[in-house]
Amino acid sequence: MDKALGDKIPEFNKKPQAGGVGITSASLGLGEHRTKFEILVIILVAVVIVGGTEASLIVFNVPQYVFPKPSQIIVALFTEWVYIWPHLLITLYELLVGFAIGGSIGFVLAAVITQFPFVEKVVTPYILLLVTTPMLALVPLLILRFGFGSEPRIIAVALASGPMVMINSATGFRRVDLAKIALARSFGASTIQIFTKIRIPMAMPMIIVGLMVGSIFGLLTTIGAEMVGGAEGLGNRLTYYSALIRMPQFFAIILILAILGISIYVIFFWLGKRWASWEA
Amino acid sequence: MNLKVEKKAVSAAKPCAVKMAIRDATKYYHTRSGAVHALDSVSLDVRESEFLCILGPSGCGKTTLLWSMAGLHPLSSGEIRLGDEVITKPNPEIAMIFQDANLLPWRNLAKNIELPFELKRQPPDRKMINKLLDRVSLTGFENKFPRELSGGMQQRASIVRSLAVSPSVLLMDEPFGALDAFTRDEMNLLIQEIWMETRKTIAFVTHSISEAIFLADRVAVMSARPGRIAEIYDIDIPRPRPVEIQTQPDFIKRVLQIKSRIEHGKGPATGLAIT
């Protein structure tokens, strides 16, 4: 008896799950059904890691400047919050504005370019170049030109997230289903209606993947750009606190960044569930 | 020669008003490997309120002909008229039913059925939609998504979608080809009933000889490469036709007659199923 087959119901005609590309709940990990026991184990693991770290740091008497205790990090997060949150707002502002600019340009470019195969073939290598080149490398140059304010960082975020959104959205827009377009056309749909009612919904799963990857690239670039120059933002706080060897505060910032990243993930997971779950 | 056969068939039947007239329809597809001759001067009348089946092996240009009738793509030469109007673009009088139902997977059943109204910027005809949903036993499934419905239910929904906009012509492109034999029988009965109730003009493309005979007033047999009308058969079996009729000697004789015509003709008969 084959163990892998076990008690599985033999349903061979079922289509396999859309592989890899789609923002399926499975590919995001969140949507998989978990039993209460599994959730309990996940929480338990967190408790063990945090508690174990706390205990071993006390037992081995590790000094705060080497590695702060989890309890100290939490305390630092609350006591230092008044000083941290203006920087959080600035980081969020740069991220959102940069991502909005880059994302919308990327989306529109993808929608337009995929309608012209020749243009698409010519432009794609350059977009790929933009995707693979770390836009952080441009930040010193942008600072020379735009100063130490938010502008160079917003530009870097737009440059980092835009091509990501574009390349994924373009993949989505390229998936044309002739029958669906013929269906809309047979009911008298205009070209614009075919775009809004057929092409965009059909591309939506890939657009959401693009937005998610793009925004995470954006977050990376925001923090990196703030570390390079200027005196504001969470990235700047990291360099600031580490220079002063104020490790609990340093780790408090890291904690905030982790929460930011997870929030982005969760937001796009729910967007995917709402707008792209039909593909799962 | 093809024209002669067709004329004979037309004159043999009762005189009927012509709903759609196809005249010398010729279509080439231009592909990288050269031109494909899909339709070769096809001339065919679709009569008012008739059930016409277009039968032929795969690749014989049935779908090309149907898409041209729907105004979805232009002919290389010849013309197709609906009444006095030459078809050059989709016409609100004509609705199409596609292979595999062709529902939009991101819309639930109700939203799928409302799509034609949305595209025409009209409020959906709720009374009509509810009546049709009830007719095909889909009431209560409005909030289901296509993936939650069986193949037969999906195709029933697509029939509702097409009928809700009150077309006078239905073009059906192998609509039940992907269904299992039992569901297919059910769907054939349903479409027969709907036709008897509404008397829409239906052009139904299929590669199944028995499906064509079961449904049609007339069966137009096409030959392949290039697509031509090889022969037109009148099917004078009285309606309603029960599913079991397909096992009657007379029915089987008709199947074999068409089958032998296809095998003796020049066109390759491969891909034609008796079932």
Side-chain angles (χ1 to χ4, degrees), chain A residues 179-180 183 185 193 197 201 278, chain B residues 90 102 105-106 118-119 147:
Chain A
K180 305 247 181 313
L183 167 81
R185 193 69 91 189
Q193 282 178 321
K197 308 249 180 229
W278 55 270
Chain B
N102 205 8
W106 54 87
E118 234 175 276
L119 295 172
R147 65 167 185 277

Side-chain angles (χ1 to χ4, degrees), chain B residues 111-163:
Chain B
K111 287 276 170 201
N112 261 294
I113 290 167
E114 284 167 19
L115 177 79
F117 294 96
E118 234 175 276
L119 295 172
K120 291 170 200 281
R121 299 178 202 286
Q122 291 167 2
D125 186 346
R126 301 257 173 236
K127 245 175 89 185
M128 180 74 158
I129 291 173
N130 289 335
K131 205 183 91 192
L132 287 165
L133 280 175
D134 188 50
R135 179 68 191 81
V136 303
S137 325
L138 276 179
T139 308
F141 291 94
E142 289 88 340
N143 293 323
K144 296 275 185 215
F145 280 80
R147 65 167 185 277
E148 301 172 290
L149 302 173
S150 69
M153 290 166 98
Q154 289 188 28
Q155 199 51 276
R156 264 146 52 199
S158 99
I159 291 170
V160 172
R161 176 175 65 188
S162 294
L163 288 176

Side-chain angles (χ1 to χ4, degrees), chain A residues 88-111:
Chain A
L88 171 63
L89 286 185
I90 285 166
T91 298
L92 278 177
Y93 163 75
E94 289 165 354
L95 174 61
L96 289 177
V97 174
F99 177 61
I101 294 171
S104 41
I105 292 176
F107 173 77
V108 171
L109 268 182

